[in-house]
Amino acid sequence: MKQQLINSAIMAILSMFPQRTHPPGYPYFNTGQLTAPIGAPITPETMPQPLAVSFQDGNLVAAKTNQTTPETLTISLENNTPSSTVYAYITGQTLDGGLFVLSASGNAAYTYASVNKPLTPIPPSDIAIPLNAPGSSSPRTVTIPRLAGARIWFSVDSQLEFFLNPVDGVPQDGKGAGLALVEPSVTNDKDVNYEKEWGFVEFTFNEFQLFANVSMVDLVGKCPASLGVIRTTGRAEDNQEVEGMGYETGLNKVVDELKQAGGDWEKLVVRRKSDGQVTRVMSPNSAVVMAAERKESFFSGYYDGYVKQVWEKYAKEDLMVDTQNKWGVVKGRVDPGTGLLTFKSNNSETITFDKPSAADIFSCSTGPFAFPPMPANATEAELDIQAFRGNVGARLAAALNRSTLLINNNQPAGEEISTFYKSNNITNHYSRVVHQNSPKGKGYAFPYDDVSRTEKENVAGTVAAGDPKVFIVAVGGGKVDFAAAKMASAANATGSAVNATVPVVRTRWRRVRAGVDAAGWRL
């Protein structure tokens, strides 16, 4: 029990970041059509204990809570594209470790036939949810159970194709156990979905809250999305909204500005082979993954000079990092003997970071930012150091992507949004132009993009509510139609999803993009 509580604390800390992570040893989904690496299934016994997180006066607070969300959630799918042929797909993980895919009916889980070989296709018509026409006053509504690591995919003018792989040694039950989902891939140009127009948003709906983001960690597509939440209070002032880029116009602006940045940045633009039309822009992390598969090199040495200057600076002065947690403000200094950036907590816990490469900075989860493997019988002290490393590493990775370490030695407390990406030409230009072209600057462009000195200054495009009534996804971006969503959800109030009585997940989960394997997700 004590160890479970520590695991929960780690997850509570990590859940404040856009890291999208499973704890070590937990299942992960694969992407692309290469392999299907799968970890051990989650069981109710291995679930961490209930913890909730909040941001109070700049401090992350984790505490036990009995807050309970509804067992099911209504999702309103609005069509803000110019096309009348738009489909949505909802995938995720049941809280006992099984695969969940919503059926095309919108109120029942897809039932799996026996899968005996890799890349067994799911009939597209079984899971493709058609949206209503653009401008419809009655959005399409669906109902889901509590899910972890979930996505709402959408495609325009054609259906997406998903596949199933059997998991060796895990019995199949027709409800998702023993199966891995092969998803559309932005890094595998042999994927049948590669040249189609598609995108996704990410969310987790657990016992304590709905958390969702307009993820652009992997790509910026022609078709963006906006998010909204109607809370159970019913008050309009309690609604939340993150407006996405404009349909096609947002992508065009990102393409133009990356061309101006030149170098490998303009190579992030993906064009359809058949007609040369731009289909999407890959994130630098996605590009690095794809290049590695092709034995090519993207952004090799890009950050080396900048990182060298950072290490030289903090060999002479302290780097202050506010953990916004129990460790408080910690000091870092480059050790002259080892050359490692070294931090020590108030409990004398020591962590070190080597110089990261560009790939490490873009992924936020490789090289010095990777989590060391933990033994099954890890001690509380070992688990606490893991959490401490993740906390400090998140703030370092964010500052490196934003290129603020040479102008601010007080992270993130001394950060000014106006200086992000502007103090040095060596920066994450993809993230820069994503935020520059997103309404109110709200985007989600790299895995720690919601590191901020206060929640009010958080630039990540997220919505979160402990009492969600309706989750709105406006495919195509633009404004969310709260009135239409409210009316549609009232008409759908009697709907419910099967598979809704699985064990509850105890913390927010988000997946980490490994950055080293185009086929897998891992820590």
Side-chain angles (χ1 to χ4, degrees):
M1 177 66 70
K2 184 164 58 176
Q3 188 164 327
Q4 288 180 328
L5 288 170
I6 297 296
N7 281 334
S8 293
I10 294 173
M11 289 308 301
I13 294 161
L14 294 177
S15 69
M16 289 303 296
F17 313 136
Q19 189 188 6
R20 300 172 296 157
T21 183
H22 293 296
Y26 279 46
Y28 49 93
F29 294 113
N30 66 306
T31 183
Q33 298 180 27
L34 301 176
T35 60
I38 295 294
I42 299 171
T43 66
E45 290 73 26
T46 60
M47 281 289 178
Q49 296 299 302
L51 280 172
V53 292
S54 61
F55 209 89
Q56 300 175 6
D57 301 323
N59 295 307
L60 180 64
V61 179
K64 286 188 177 181
T65 178
N66 294 318
Q67 180 179 353
T68 302
T69 57
E71 289 189 1
T72 61
L73 178 67
T74 296
I75 301 178
S76 176
L77 300 167
E78 301 177 356
N79 183 358
N80 285 356
T81 77
S83 175
S84 295
T85 307
V86 180
Y87 301 94
Y89 311 79
I90 299 181
T91 67
Q93 189 174 5
T94 63
L95 306 182
D96 58 355
L99 173 65
F100 178 89
V101 180
L102 191 65
S103 70
S105 68
N107 61 7
Y110 176 69
T111 302
Y112 308 92
S114 179
V115 176
N116 300 313
K117 61 180 181 179
L119 298 179
T120 297
I122 300 177
S125 59
D126 287 358
I127 61 172
I129 302 167
L131 271 58
N132 294 336
S136 172
S137 60
S138 179
R140 179 67 191 269
T141 57
V142 301
T143 307
I144 61 162
R146 291 170 178 155
L147 296 173
R151 282 183 172 182
I152 300 176
W153 307 78
F154 41 86
S155 60
V156 179
D157 294 334
S158 62
Q159 294 184 344
L160 294 177
E161 297 182 48
F162 293 79
F163 301 83
L164 296 170
N165 286 348
V167 180
D168 291 341
V170 181
Q172 297 178 28
D173 63 359
K175 298 179 181 179
L179 296 174
L181 182 68
V182 181
E183 305 168 336
S185 173
V186 68
T187 61
N188 179 9
D189 59 3
K190 295 180 177 60
D191 182 359
V192 295
N193 302 295
Y194 190 75
E195 294 198 343
K196 297 177 182 179
E197 183 183 333
W198 56 271
F200 59 83
V201 299
E202 296 180 320
F203 73 97
T204 284
F205 172 55
N206 62 25
E207 188 178 16
F208 306 110
Q209 68 174 340
L210 165 71
F211 179 90
N213 68 81
V214 287
S215 180
M216 290 173 275
V217 172
D218 295 335
L219 74 149
V220 170
K222 183 178 179 181
C223 183
S226 301
L227 303 179
V229 176
I230 298 175
R231 297 174 60 189
T232 56
T233 63
R235 296 190 299 264
E237 60 267 28
D238 291 337
N239 293 342
Q240 295 184 36
E241 180 180 19
V242 173
E243 186 178 346
M245 297 180 184
Y247 181 83
E248 192 170 11
T249 59
L251 175 62
N252 291 341
K253 290 177 181 178
V254 170
V255 169
D256 289 343
E257 294 188 37
L258 288 177
K259 286 181 180 177
Q260 294 177 28
D264 283 345
W265 295 107
E266 59 182 327
K267 297 178 184 177
L268 300 179
V269 179
V270 178
R271 298 181 182 275
R272 195 159 45 213
K273 294 177 182 177
S274 59
D275 57 13
Q277 292 295 309
V278 174
T279 57
R280 67 184 65 90
V281 167
M282 288 191 293
S283 70
N285 184 47
S286 293
V288 168
V289 171
M290 192 170 189
E293 286 295 317
R294 296 175 172 180
K295 310 299 183 189
E296 298 173 356
S297 178
F298 253 45
F299 295 104
S300 178
Y302 177 75
Y303 264 101
D304 287 359
Y306 181 82
V307 170
K308 182 175 182 290
Q309 293 180 59
V310 169
W311 251 240
E312 290 173 348
K313 177 180 176 70
Y314 294 111
K316 302 173 184 176
E317 62 181 276
D318 290 333
L319 171 59
M320 312 299 294
V321 174
D322 185 354
T323 65
Q324 299 164 305
N325 203 273
K326 67 177 183 179
W327 303 283
V329 178
V330 295
K331 295 179 181 180
R333 183 72 77 100
V334 175
D335 186 292
T338 64
L340 302 177
L341 183 56
T342 303
F343 293 86
K344 183 175 289 188
S345 75
N346 296 332
N347 297 327
S348 297
E349 299 167 325
T350 299
I351 56 173
T352 60
F353 296 88
D354 205 346
K355 291 179 181 178
S357 68
D360 300 331
I361 292 168
F362 293 143
S363 76
C364 300
S365 62
T366 58
F369 303 123
F371 283 87
M374 297 293 289
N377 60 345
T379 65
E380 291 183 26
E382 288 172 326
L383 291 165
D384 195 69
I385 290 176
Q386 183 92 306
F388 181 37
R389 165 176 287 279
N391 183 295
V392 175
R395 285 148 179 78
L396 290 178
L400 285 163
N401 274 279
R402 295 164 177 166
S403 302
T404 60
L405 282 172
L406 291 179
I407 62 170
N408 176 28
N409 70 340
N410 189 11
Q411 297 286 336
E415 292 285 67
E416 296 286 345
I417 296 173
S418 61
T419 66
F420 290 178
Y421 316 107
K422 296 177 181 177
S423 67
N424 200 297
N425 191 50
I426 301 300
T427 193
N428 186 336
H429 288 288
Y430 170 85
S431 185
R432 172 180 65 81
V433 300
V434 163
H435 285 284
Q436 191 169 303
N437 292 287
S438 295
K440 299 182 181 179
K442 296 285 188 177
Y444 210 107
F446 66 90
Y448 285 125
D449 207 359
D450 60 357
V451 168
S452 60
R453 62 179 179 182
T454 66
E455 184 62 17
K456 186 177 180 180
E457 296 181 357
N458 195 333
V459 297
T462 62
V463 294
D467 58 346
K469 183 176 183 180
V470 184
F471 176 33
I472 308 168
V473 178
V475 180
K479 286 293 192 180
V480 167
D481 190 338
F482 285 100
K486 192 172 184 178
M487 291 178 61
S489 67
N492 190 53
T494 58
S496 62
V498 300
N499 251 11
T501 56
V502 297
V504 294
V505 70
R506 303 299 186 182
T507 54
R508 274 196 287 171
W509 290 5
R510 301 182 224 170
R511 288 182 285 185
V512 163
R513 181 64 188 173
V516 295
D517 182 356
W521 298 85
R522 67 167 177 83
L523 272 176

